[in-house]
Amino acid sequence: MNIGIDARGVHGNKAGIAIYIEEIIKRINSKEEKKDRYILYSNKDIEINANLKDNIIIKKQETRMPGTFWLYFKLPKILKEDQIDVFWGTQHMLPKRNKYTKNIKFVLTIHDLAIKKLKTVGSLKNTLIQKLFLGKSIKNADKFVAISEATKNDIMELFKINEEKIKVVYNGSNIDMSANINEDEAKNIRKKFKIEDENPYIFFISTIEPRKNVETLIKAFDYIKSTEKSNLKLILAGGLGWKYDEALKLYETSKYKNDIIMPRIY
């Protein structure tokens, strides 16, 4: 079977969906079974931290066209030429259904539909892309992967999709659960990030952007510190996303800035 994968964005400083795609590709790559062929499509370089086996092929096509338009309008013909049987849309988007793709099965991952339910949770660019292509992609999908029951319910509610077409597959972890560190190493890590042994802490890990509500978390932390005698610390272990200025401003002006740790930023 020939399986195509939307691998756009899997390069550079990866976050969110890019990590999701890369980790699944690495798991596929670790399998001994090589009867299926996987083609990773992108209009930009693809960087995967693994030595890919010969049944996983990277196919990049240079284009001045924005990636979303390239995938929707140009990729269908390429999929036909590559004799793709199944195409996996990893980022809420599928190629156009036309004469080139009419016999290809489409699988679409939906990470969340917050952008359809809440205002100001997505950038203007992403909001426009979702408006242009999300509905069409959902209509043309044969099967769906939802990363949670909540997302599954949103797909059914907002787009009237039959439950039988949706499979919930929870996100995994790329952490080696067998890895252990000794007490000295643990102390050095706590010392580096100023987390003393006796200090309780709130740990947040996600991209710093409006939809993650980091501003409210910082305000709540400031309130707790101002109303209670506490050595509580707040660890914001996420990279910078979009419109993060307000969160950084709150951090910089917080009376308890010394108790807020941002290891990936500062």
Side-chain angles (χ1 to χ4, degrees), residues 124-139:
L124 177 60
K125 176 184 175 182
N126 193 39
T127 299
L128 289 174
I129 289 170
Q130 298 289 327
K131 284 185 177 181
L132 285 171
F133 299 110
L134 178 60
K136 295 182 179 69
S137 297
I138 288 179
K139 179 181 178 181

Side-chain angles (χ1 to χ4, degrees), residues 20 40 61 67 72 96 107 136 149 152 155 178 182 207 221 227 257:
Y20 167 84
L40 314 182
Q61 185 183 59
Y72 188 75
K96 187 176 182 179
V107 178
K136 295 182 179 69
E149 289 289 343
K152 173 184 173 181
I155 297 170
S178 65
N182 60 43
T207 309
F221 178 76
T227 56
K257 178 181 175 181

Side-chain angles (χ1 to χ4, degrees), residues 207-261:
T207 309
I208 308 297
E209 58 185 33
R211 65 194 297 242
K212 305 300 182 179
N213 211 10
V214 182
E215 295 92 334
T216 300
L217 177 58
I218 295 174
K219 291 175 182 177
F221 178 76
D222 284 353
Y223 176 78
I224 292 171
K225 296 288 285 188
S226 66
T227 56
E228 299 179 11
K229 288 186 177 181
S230 171
N231 55 3
L232 181 69
K233 290 184 179 293
L234 172 61
I235 304 172
L236 302 176
L240 298 178
W242 64 281
K243 286 192 176 181
Y244 51 79
D245 293 348
E246 185 62 28
L248 293 190
K249 180 180 178 181
L250 285 172
Y251 161 75
E252 292 289 355
T253 58
S254 172
K255 184 179 178 181
Y256 307 97
K257 178 181 175 181
N258 291 337
D259 291 320
I260 302 176
I261 302 164

Side-chain angles (χ1 to χ4, degrees), residues 57-74:
I57 301 162
I58 290 176
K59 192 160 188 176
K60 171 191 169 186
Q61 185 183 59
E62 295 281 0
T63 176
R64 294 182 179 180
M65 185 179 292
T68 50
F69 288 89
W70 168 80
L71 182 137
Y72 188 75
F73 292 107
K74 296 294 184 181

Side-chain angles (χ1 to χ4, degrees), residues 94 106-110 113 116 134-146 149-168:
L94 291 169
F106 282 162
V107 178
L108 184 65
T109 290
I110 301 293
L113 290 170
K116 296 289 292 183
L134 178 60
K136 295 182 179 69
S137 297
I138 288 179
K139 179 181 178 181
N140 290 330
D142 296 289
K143 294 288 184 180
F144 296 87
V145 175
E149 289 289 343
T151 297
K152 173 184 173 181
N153 291 335
D154 285 344
I155 297 170
M156 293 165 59
E157 175 189 344
L158 296 173
F159 293 95
K160 312 306 178 187
I161 300 298
N162 193 307
E163 183 177 9
E164 294 179 358
K165 295 180 68 174
I166 308 169
K167 177 70 174 179
V168 175

